[in-house]
Amino acid sequence: MNRPCTIVIPCYNESTRFPFEQFTTFFDANPAIHFLLVNDGSKDNTIDLLRRASRGREDQVGVLDQALNGGKGEAVRAGVLAALPREGCLYVGFWDADLATPLEAIRELTAVIAGRPELAMIFGARVKLLGRQVERRAIRHYLGRMFATVVSMTLRLPIYDTQCGAKIFRVSGETRVLFDAPFCTRWVFDVEILARFIQLRGYNMESVQNSIYEFPLEQWRDVAGSRVRPQDFVRAFFDVLRIYRLYRP
Ligand SMILES: Nc1nc2c(ncn2[C@@H]2O[C@H](COP(=O)(O)OP(=O)(O)O)[C@@H](O)[C@H]2O)c(=O)[nH]1
Ligand SMILES: [Mg+2]
């Protein structure tokens, strides 16, 4: 079967949180979407769960088992690099395992990027508009807004939401460059991808802005059991500074 899109799902210690039924139901209802479930050196039985989710549909749902825990960015990177050589792979993305963004949005994001050849990437954006269900705890909402503002000032890119765990990229020569080298930060690799893209486009911000699309999600909810701790938030600001120094012209 022709499967133009691979979605990488990074999974770390997800044994009690992984929405198994939601995933398998979606797999069967959407046989044309390829998935790669990446176990990132989990200390629990996440790998068994992932193998079980893939069983009987191995062609459509792959499992990548990383022996060591490298963090979300590295798990995503390993998954993307593994997916790129797949024949017929036109889009590659990643999605948080807790399904804070419902899987249904994969089709919406893919439809937009497919219809607009100038786009290199499309990101889910958590915008709390009337008529949409975007539920985030107030503290995370405001911290998140602050972070996004700092990032958009640092990168000089008016982006609203860098940290949403739902992103899809058009496969091209550029994609490999974006994911080739290990990320220097653990939690803000999304920002690093953007910094690499800006560098790749020769700091031509018009070209960058015309190639990225933020898609306001219909639905997003904070899922309990987040691995992000308050100190990670502080570290994230320093990480943005590091990215700035590493990638500035
Ligand atoms: N690979 C990897 N993934 C992680 C790690 N921690 C969290 N994740 C994954 O990253 C995604 C988002 O994690 P989550 O804890 O929900 O973070 P939040 O929603 O940003 O607060 C999930 O798919 C997790 O399984 C980690 O150390 N390594
Ligand atoms: Mg989460």
Side-chain angles (χ1 to χ4, degrees):
M1 182 184 283
N2 182 29
R3 297 192 172 101
C5 180
T6 291
I7 298 293
V8 172
I9 316 278
C11 302
Y12 179 62
N13 292 350
E14 289 287 351
S15 68
T16 54
R17 200 173 65 154
F18 191 77
F20 188 88
E21 301 290 324
Q22 261 168 276
F23 269 106
T24 50
T25 306
F26 189 85
F27 294 158
D28 294 338
N30 297 273
I33 304 177
H34 181 249
F35 285 87
L36 192 52
L37 313 176
V38 182
N39 174 41
D40 183 36
S42 299
K43 290 163 185 67
D44 61 6
N45 67 347
T46 295
I47 186 64
D48 303 329
L49 208 65
L50 303 186
R51 292 224 168 93
R52 201 145 54 80
S54 148
R55 195 166 304 147
R57 39 176 100 77
E58 286 84 355
D59 248 18
Q60 183 201 357
V61 181
V63 176
L64 187 64
D65 189 14
Q66 301 278 96
L68 293 177
N69 175 240
K72 178 179 171 185
E74 283 312 294
V76 163
R77 205 172 70 80
V80 168
L81 290 179
L84 285 180
R86 191 175 61 79
E87 207 179 321
C89 185
L90 302 180
Y91 310 102
V92 64
F94 55 88
W95 221 260
D96 280 356
D98 59 8
L99 298 188
T101 313
L103 289 167
E104 283 67 28
I106 295 172
R107 267 180 281 134
E108 297 175 279
L109 265 65
T110 321
V112 174
I113 196 170
R116 300 186 50 170
E118 76 278 15
L119 295 181
M121 51 192 88
I122 179 162
F123 301 167
R126 300 162 292 178
V127 193
K128 209 168 157 41
L129 299 170
L130 287 178
R132 286 171 203 245
Q133 295 162 284
V134 175
E135 293 157 23
R136 204 153 34 143
R137 276 179 295 141
I139 175 80
R140 288 201 59 169
H141 173 79
Y142 289 110
L143 287 175
R145 294 310 318 132
M146 219 163 84
F147 183 76
T149 307
V150 167
V151 170
S152 73
M153 279 161 49
T154 311
L155 297 180
R156 297 196 171 82
L157 180 72
I159 184 163
Y160 182 84
D161 186 4
T162 56
Q163 296 314 105
C164 180
K167 295 188 164 75
I168 296 179
F169 300 78
R170 183 186 307 281
V171 172
S172 74
E174 287 182 331
T175 326
R176 175 161 283 281
V177 183
L178 296 180
F179 289 91
D180 222 9
F183 297 114
C184 74
T185 60
R186 195 170 169 97
W187 279 109
V188 295
F189 72 98
D190 313 64
V191 178
E192 203 168 346
I193 292 175
L194 285 169
R196 286 180 181 181
F197 185 62
I198 292 169
Q199 193 177 53
L200 199 61
R201 291 284 172 105
Y203 303 92
N204 178 343
M205 298 313 286
E206 195 183 320
S207 146
V208 169
Q209 283 196 36
N210 292 335
S211 310
I212 306 177
Y213 190 100
E214 291 192 279
F215 184 94
L217 297 166
E218 275 297 332
Q219 230 186 323
W220 191 90
R221 66 193 171 90
D222 238 337
V223 177
S226 165
R227 311 290 138 75
V228 182
R229 300 152 302 168
Q231 59 265 40
D232 293 327
F233 197 80
V234 177
R235 189 172 319 148
F237 280 97
F238 288 99
D239 284 347
V240 171
L241 196 64
R242 256 170 69 212
I243 292 172
Y244 171 72
R245 290 200 177 119
L246 264 172
Y247 293 93
R248 69 185 156 188

